[in-house]
Amino acid sequence: SSDVCSSDLVSRNFSASRSVNIRGAGKYATFLKKTGATTTPILNWSADTSVLSTYADFRDFSIVGKAKAHPGIRLTQCARFDMKNVDIGACDVAIDNLGSLVFTTHNITVHDNNVGYKCRRSSPGNISCNLVSFYDSQFVVNGIFALDLDVASQVNLIGCDLEQNGTASTPATGAIII
């Protein structure tokens, strides 16, 4: 496994051919910050092949984007992703899920992004997101959508708070798009 704890992380790529554990000192004690001007994600976890058999555990840190110009976390064709006690703000898409399976969060806060969580089919592979669960999480003040569930199946929202997402002046925005 890989352990990363940094106060100023520009961008980190992880191969899904191995398990990844990222643990900070606390949700508001460890900050991963975007410092460069690129549009690359702060954390990028992608499968090397179509085999989705690895595990990731992200917990106890905050992601701070830069001017909503890039994804916070991008997952591509990955399986068994668990995130706990994480805060993500100021990104284009806080969590960008491309064809990943068994995605679970507990007590995350997603705020001040364009889109809080977005799932879509992977390319190549054409895999849809499946078994997506959010427990006791908050999606607040995301400019376009809190959750964009375009190609997700078996989605669970349990004990979640979705407030002030979208804009009143743009009716095609809001809390959830399915």
Side-chain angles (χ1 to χ4, degrees):
S1 76
S2 298
D3 294 319
V4 174
C5 182
S6 172
S7 62
D8 195 19
L9 186 69
V10 175
S11 183
R12 183 71 188 250
N13 294 308
F14 299 99
S15 164
S17 62
R18 52 190 267 177
S19 294
V20 177
N21 297 303
I22 300 176
R23 295 193 178 176
K27 190 174 186 178
Y28 303 111
T30 302
F31 297 87
L32 307 179
K33 297 180 181 180
K34 183 73 166 185
T35 59
T38 67
T39 58
T40 59
I42 294 173
L43 297 173
N44 188 26
W45 192 45
S46 300
D48 291 338
T49 67
S50 61
V51 178
L52 304 170
S53 61
T54 58
Y55 177 76
D57 183 18
F58 291 6
R59 63 177 66 205
D60 299 317
F61 60 86
S62 291
I63 288 182
V64 180
K66 187 172 183 181
K68 298 183 183 179
H70 54 84
I73 298 172
R74 176 173 287 147
L75 311 168
T76 306
Q77 291 185 201
C78 300
R80 299 183 306 157
F81 181 84
D82 193 28
M83 184 171 15
K84 293 179 183 170
N85 303 319
V86 173
D87 179 90
I88 306 172
C91 297
D92 177 33
V93 177
I95 304 166
D96 191 14
N97 186 348
L98 288 85
S100 297
L101 311 173
V102 193
F103 174 90
T104 305
T105 71
H106 299 270
N107 190 32
I108 67 167
T109 305
V110 179
H111 61 91
D112 299 299
N113 304 285
N114 288 326
V115 176
Y117 171 84
K118 182 175 186 174
C119 62
R120 49 201 165 117
R121 284 188 175 85
S122 64
S123 176
N126 201 30
I127 298 171
S128 297
C129 302
N130 191 9
L131 296 171
V132 175
S133 299
F134 296 95
Y135 297 95
D136 302 316
S137 297
Q138 295 180 329
F139 293 85
V140 183
V141 193
N142 295 288
I144 301 172
F145 291 109
L147 302 165
D148 182 344
L149 304 173
D150 183 37
V151 294
S153 61
Q154 298 184 9
V155 176
N156 298 295
L157 297 169
I158 300 169
C160 294
D161 182 20
L162 289 81
E163 292 184 37
Q164 298 178 343
N165 295 285
T167 60
S169 62
T170 308
T173 65
I176 301 173
I177 184 170
I178 301 174

